[in-house]
Amino acid sequence: MAKTIVVKQIGSPIRRPAKQRQVLVGLGLNKMHKTRELEDTPSIRGMVNKIPHLVTIIEERG
């Protein structure tokens, strides 16, 4: 089984640069307090690290 992480959106994309909004959409997040379980890959980690003020990692599985 592949390792996964649970990512939660904690910030609003309002008044943020378009690139940051695009990263949120790429992660599958679009509403406050929404969570997604994503595969733990370097690309996903990089996306999360680009917007640490908007998302948080709740849990690491696997």
Side-chain angles (χ1 to χ4, degrees):
M1 182 175 168
K3 292 175 62 175
T4 60
I5 57 174
V6 178
V7 180
K8 180 178 182 180
Q9 182 176 345
I10 59 169
S12 173
I14 296 173
R15 296 184 60 153
R16 300 286 180 195
K19 286 275 191 184
Q20 293 180 4
R21 281 184 254 134
Q22 291 171 352
V23 171
L24 276 176
V25 171
L27 289 171
L29 300 171
N30 60 356
K31 295 181 182 174
M32 292 289 293
H33 309 293
K34 187 173 179 181
T35 60
R36 285 288 311 266
E37 185 171 351
L38 303 166
E39 190 174 349
D40 191 6
T41 62
S43 61
I44 296 295
R45 287 286 182 160
M47 292 171 78
V48 170
N49 289 337
K50 286 283 187 183
I51 52 171
H53 54 287
L54 298 178
V55 297
T56 186
I57 296 176
I58 296 175
E59 182 179 353
E60 297 183 22
R61 299 180 183 165

